[in-house]
């Protein structure tokens, strides 16, 4: 009877082994089912079930090599952080990371991280995900320069104030063959060798026309006179010109700019403008400024001509459109032609992505196993690039998951066979005991 008891215990242990297999197959089915269910979830990363054998029973003590296994158990569920396919979209706020890294969002419980870049702006101008969590990035200053200051990506004001012109840059050539002239503001066209007009802005953003006249006073030396119409100048008379800035340009015998001499610069516009507006006229880097003569205006023996002129002022403007570039920089366009950087999307990098904790809602949280998030710009130090007007799809391969599904089903069926066979064997033992 003792032999039959041992037999019964051995058969009962096979029940436990089979049950452990059923549990393992069921757990595997759960993981596979979750992968399949999220095959259409943006930025979803599929998982893999990993199993271990249970503690085995040794037949000869710790020194023996003969052991009987006790079944299996689910040991780990590991997320697979392979790249998902990237689809192009028409939404300017759809972003995708091509490579390693995560977007950072601020939740009520702290920072979280996601690969789902289906963002949009809320009524307050904050870039948020589908659950309303603010996307984090590097802020830009008033000049549009990206800083290292982290915070929510927000539009701020949709209007920008006027900026008065502070600098005018001119690229040009003055004809060295020109006749010497003595400038007379009452006869500007007849007493100058060349002129160029441009629009600048006063402190309230009003457009003002400025005409700069150039006259040769001696070989290698020119004067410039910046004038405005009398109707735009304080105390000016319509139909006349008022000089607002004056200076000299001195050239080397080779026609390179030796130095600039500013004699005066004070623009006094009327109609509510602030008096004494100083405007710098920049003709390039002269030799006196340690230039090499190639970055400034010239005096060559060819006709006077201006290749371009720019100024840094603009009128007040209203936001017209937004766009992200492939560096993750959000740029705002205004109806005065101004383009200004607003912020740059930050990308978080971890030492061990597989150590992240799934929070649901396409979010991950950092853990001790993952290490702390290292925030930085896209495309550097191992971080992936940002792709604008794009969205990353799930990395789940349906064909692979169906194969895994069939394997899990076969494993389940095989373990049920173990249990049913053990049941028959136990029934035979019980029949012997009755007899």
């Amino acid at each position: 009877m003792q032999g039959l008891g041992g037999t019964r215990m051995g058969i009962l242990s096979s029940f436990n082994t089979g049950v452990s297999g059923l549990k393992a197959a069921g757990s595997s089915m759960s993981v596979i089912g979750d992968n399949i269910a999220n095959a259409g979830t943006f930025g979803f990363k599929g998982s893999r079930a990993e199993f271990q054998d249970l503690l085995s029973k040794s037949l000869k003590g710790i020194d023996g090599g003969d052991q009987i296994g006790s079944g299996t158990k689910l040991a780990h569920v590991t997320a697979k952080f392979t790249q998902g396919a990237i689809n192009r979209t028409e939404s300017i706020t759809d972003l995708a990371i091509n490579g390693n890294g995560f977007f950072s969002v601020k939740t009520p419980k702290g920072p979280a991280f996601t690969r789902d870049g289906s963002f949009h702006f809320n009524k307050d101008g904050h870039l948020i995900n589908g659950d309303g969590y603010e996307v984090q990035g590097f802020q830009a200053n008033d000049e549009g320069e990206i800083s290292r200051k982290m915070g929510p990506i927000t539009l701020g004001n949709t209007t920008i104030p006027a900026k008065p012109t502070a600098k005018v840059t001119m690229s040009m050539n003055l004809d060295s063959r020109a006749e010497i002239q003595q400038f007379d503001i009452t006869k500007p066209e007849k007493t100058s060798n060349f002129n160029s007009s441009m629009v600048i802005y006063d402190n309230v953003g009003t457009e003002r026309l400025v005409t700069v006249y150039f006259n040769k006073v001696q070989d290698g030396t020119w004067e410039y006179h910046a004038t405005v119409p009398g109707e735009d100048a304080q105390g000016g008379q319509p139909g006349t010109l008022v000089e607002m800035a004056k200076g000299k340009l001195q050239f080397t015998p080779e026609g390179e700019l030796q130095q600039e001499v500013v004699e005066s610069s004070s623009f006094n516009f009327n109609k509510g403008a602030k008096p004494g507006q100083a405007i710098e006229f920049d003709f390039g880097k002269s030799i006196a400024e340690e230039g090499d003569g190639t970055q400034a205006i010239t005096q060559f023996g060819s006709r006077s001509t201006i290749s371009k002129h720019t100024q840094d002022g603009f009128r007040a403007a209203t936001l017209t459109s937004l766009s992200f570039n492939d560096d993750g920089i959000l740029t705002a366009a205004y109806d005065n032609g101004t383009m200004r950087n607003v912020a740059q999307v930050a990308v978080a990098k971890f030492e061990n992505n597989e150590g992240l904790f799934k929070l649901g809602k396409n979010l991950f949280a950092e853990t001790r196993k993952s290490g702390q998030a290292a925030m930085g710009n896209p495309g550097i130090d191992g971080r992936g690039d940002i792709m604008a007007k794009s969205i990353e799809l799930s990395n789940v391969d349906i064909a692979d998951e169906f194969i895994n599904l069939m394997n899990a089903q076969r494993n389940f069926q095989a373990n049920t066979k173990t249990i049913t066979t053990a049941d028959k064997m136990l029934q035979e033992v019980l029949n012997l005991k009755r007899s």
Side-chain angles (χ1 to χ4, degrees):
M1 297 299 292
Q2 290 179 350
L4 289 177
T7 300
R8 186 172 62 178
M9 292 301 296
I11 295 173
L12 288 175
S13 67
S14 66
F15 273 109
N16 293 332
T17 301
V19 170
S20 72
L22 291 179
K23 290 181 179 179
S27 298
S28 179
M29 288 283 290
S30 295
V31 174
I32 296 168
D34 182 59
N35 290 342
I36 294 174
N38 285 284
T41 302
F42 293 148
F44 179 79
K45 298 302 177 185
S47 299
R48 179 183 65 193
E50 299 175 357
F51 301 93
Q52 292 177 347
D53 63 336
L54 293 174
L55 183 64
S56 299
K57 177 182 178 182
S58 178
L59 300 181
K60 298 180 180 180
I62 60 174
D63 296 326
D66 297 327
Q67 294 174 294
I68 298 176
S70 299
T72 185
K73 68 174 183 177
L74 177 66
H76 306 286
V77 178
T78 303
K80 299 181 290 183
F81 286 94
T82 55
Q83 178 71 47
I86 294 178
N87 275 10
R88 301 292 290 178
T89 71
E90 294 301 318
S91 175
I92 63 169
T93 53
D94 279 348
L95 302 175
I97 298 177
N98 184 24
N100 184 32
F102 299 82
F103 300 109
S104 175
V105 296
K106 184 179 180 181
T107 75
K109 296 183 179 180
F113 307 92
T114 182
R115 293 282 295 197
D116 181 2
S118 53
F119 304 134
H120 62 276
F121 286 100
N122 64 11
K123 62 182 180 64
D124 298 317
H126 295 280
L127 186 67
I128 59 174
N129 72 352
D131 293 299
Y133 302 145
E134 295 175 342
V135 182
Q136 303 296 293
F138 298 109
Q139 308 297 306
N141 60 22
D142 292 338
E143 301 301 321
E145 298 170 345
I146 304 296
S147 67
R148 302 305 301 171
K149 181 181 178 182
M150 281 280 295
I153 295 177
T154 180
L155 296 178
N157 294 326
T158 56
T159 60
I160 54 175
K163 178 184 177 183
T165 299
K167 185 176 183 178
V168 173
T169 303
M170 305 182 76
S171 298
M172 58 189 300
N173 177 69
L174 295 173
D175 192 347
S176 63
R177 303 167 300 178
E179 299 292 331
I180 294 175
Q181 297 271 17
Q182 186 65 40
F183 182 70
D184 183 351
I185 198 170
T186 63
K187 303 175 183 178
E189 300 290 341
K190 294 182 179 180
T191 57
S192 64
N193 303 102
F194 183 68
N195 67 78
S196 179
S197 298
M198 69 200 73
V199 172
I200 65 171
Y201 296 87
D202 63 22
N203 67 291
V204 292
T206 304
E207 294 183 356
R208 307 286 187 165
L209 181 66
V210 172
T211 303
V212 183
Y213 293 92
F214 298 87
N215 62 293
K216 183 179 178 181
V217 294
Q218 64 182 49
D219 289 340
T221 302
W222 290 68
E223 288 181 343
Y224 68 88
H225 306 265
T227 66
V228 299
E231 52 266 31
D232 282 341
Q234 289 185 6
Q237 298 296 321
T240 65
L241 292 177
V242 178
E243 185 174 277
M244 297 286 185
K246 178 181 179 182
K248 286 185 178 180
L249 304 170
Q250 297 177 349
F251 296 90
T252 66
E254 290 76 22
E256 298 171 346
L257 183 61
Q258 178 64 43
Q259 68 174 351
E260 304 172 48
V261 179
V262 179
E263 296 182 357
S264 64
S265 180
S266 181
F267 286 74
N268 298 296
F269 296 112
N270 57 12
K271 301 176 182 178
K274 184 178 179 180
Q277 180 177 342
I279 299 177
E280 175 191 356
F281 286 84
D282 184 7
F283 298 95
K285 197 170 185 179
S286 66
I287 294 175
E289 298 172 316
E290 300 182 355
D292 58 7
T294 63
Q295 301 170 327
I297 69 170
T298 57
Q299 183 201 237
F300 294 147
S302 57
R303 67 185 183 87
S304 295
T305 182
I306 183 164
S307 58
K308 69 173 182 178
H309 57 69
T310 59
Q311 58 85 37
D312 59 357
F314 49 79
R315 62 178 174 82
T318 302
L319 179 69
T320 57
S321 64
L322 296 165
S323 63
F324 281 95
N325 66 14
D326 286 342
D327 291 323
I329 295 176
L330 174 63
T331 301
Y334 297 87
D335 59 8
N336 64 353
T338 300
M339 306 286 287
R340 180 175 289 180
N341 293 335
V342 177
Q344 183 176 26
V345 176
V347 175
K349 184 181 73 170
F350 295 91
E351 291 297 322
N352 177 25
N353 290 342
E354 293 179 356
L356 291 169
F357 182 77
K358 283 188 175 183
L359 297 173
K361 299 182 179 180
N362 285 356
L363 299 177
F364 296 89
E366 67 179 42
T367 66
R368 291 182 180 180
K369 291 183 178 180
S370 69
Q372 291 185 331
M375 306 301 299
N377 294 338
I380 62 172
D381 299 330
R383 297 177 184 84
D385 297 317
I386 295 288
M387 298 186 68
K389 283 190 174 182
S390 302
I391 200 77
E392 183 184 9
L393 305 182
S394 170
N395 69 347
V396 172
D397 188 317
I398 291 293
D400 286 344
E401 296 304 323
F402 282 165
I403 292 173
N404 294 335
L405 194 64
M406 289 186 287
N407 287 334
Q409 183 182 15
R410 294 291 181 268
N411 290 338
F412 189 88
Q413 290 174 340
N415 281 284
T416 59
K417 191 66 175 178
T418 298
I419 294 175
T420 56
T421 301
D423 179 59
K424 291 180 180 178
M425 294 172 65
L426 183 59
Q427 187 64 42
E428 292 295 330
V429 171
L430 294 174
N431 291 336
L432 288 173
K433 194 172 183 180
R434 292 192 192 98
S435 63

